Amino acid sequence: MKQFIKEEAIEAMNSLGSRRIPFLFIIDFLMQSPIVIPLDEVDSGCILYDVQGNSNYTYCSVRQAQILMDKHPVSFKRYLAAFNNIKKNIQDGNSYLLNLTFPTCIEIDKSLRDIFFISKARYKLIMEDRVVVFSPESFVQIHNGIISSYPMKGTI
């Protein structure tokens, strides 16, 4: 699976899009390891996806017993300081919309693959045993030839 630098990923997406070739793109938060793959080249041994019912796998049943999870969120003190900083920046006019998130360590009794198959989401993806993503919302939509993005994400 070829990983690009940011500029190469943009060029690859523009090239595939201009040739009307469907593709999958995976971009990490820091955009350090973007991946761009034509859909017909996605290796289902490494990446599984389901985008509103369009997928590259056959459904796999996973026993949906109770999920045991232990989470370790940030302290209230750290959260409150960040929240107050956001309020100040909104009041100062620096932004009107923010998505306050923190990395949270989670211990769970299921594999990422189990989580992928258990989740009921319109958009979901698993890449090897490294990351699982699921979301009820669209990130990019094309309607009447207009491409719109909705980047308020927090679902990885």
Side-chain angles (χ1 to χ4, degrees):
M1 180 170 11
K2 179 172 173 33
Q3 294 185 339
F4 296 91
I5 61 170
K6 178 180 175 180
E7 293 76 18
E8 291 172 332
I10 292 168
E11 184 178 319
M13 288 187 283
N14 285 334
S15 174
L16 291 166
S18 69
R19 292 182 286 147
R20 304 187 66 75
I21 297 173
F23 63 91
L24 172 70
F25 65 96
I26 303 170
I27 301 174
D28 59 291
F29 179 74
L30 297 174
M31 206 161 179
Q32 294 176 337
S33 305
I35 297 169
V36 180
I37 311 168
L39 279 185
D40 63 359
E41 295 177 22
V42 174
D43 179 355
S44 61
C46 297
I47 298 173
L48 298 178
Y49 64 85
D50 186 338
V51 177
Q52 292 187 314
N54 297 307
S55 66
N56 68 334
Y57 67 92
T58 303
Y59 178 75
C60 176
S61 179
V62 174
R63 190 170 150 254
Q64 294 189 23
Q66 180 179 1
I67 298 172
L68 300 176
M69 179 172 51
D70 189 18
K71 54 192 180 296
H72 308 278
V74 299
S75 69
F76 180 75
K77 181 178 178 181
R78 182 171 175 213
Y79 180 87
L80 185 59
F83 182 78
N84 288 335
N85 186 36
I86 285 174
K87 283 190 346 185
K88 180 185 180 322
N89 277 282
I90 289 173
Q91 290 168 345
D92 290 348
N94 296 325
S95 180
Y96 65 92
L97 180 65
L98 289 146
N99 187 6
L100 177 58
T101 63
F102 292 94
T104 302
C105 181
I106 297 174
E107 298 168 42
I108 192 164
D109 69 337
K110 303 285 186 248
S111 71
L112 292 180
R113 190 173 178 87
D114 290 342
I115 293 168
F116 175 81
F117 285 111
I118 290 170
S119 67
K120 305 281 190 249
R122 291 172 41 193
Y123 307 93
K124 59 185 183 173
L125 174 137
I126 183 169
M127 185 169 68
E128 298 165 333
D129 199 23
R130 296 185 344 191
V131 66
V132 64
V133 180
F134 48 95
S135 176
E137 58 193 356
S138 295
F139 179 63
V140 175
Q141 291 182 355
I142 303 172
H143 185 68
N144 294 330
I146 297 172
I147 300 173
S148 302
S149 67
Y150 303 89
M152 287 304 290
K153 305 298 284 180
T155 54
I156 188 165

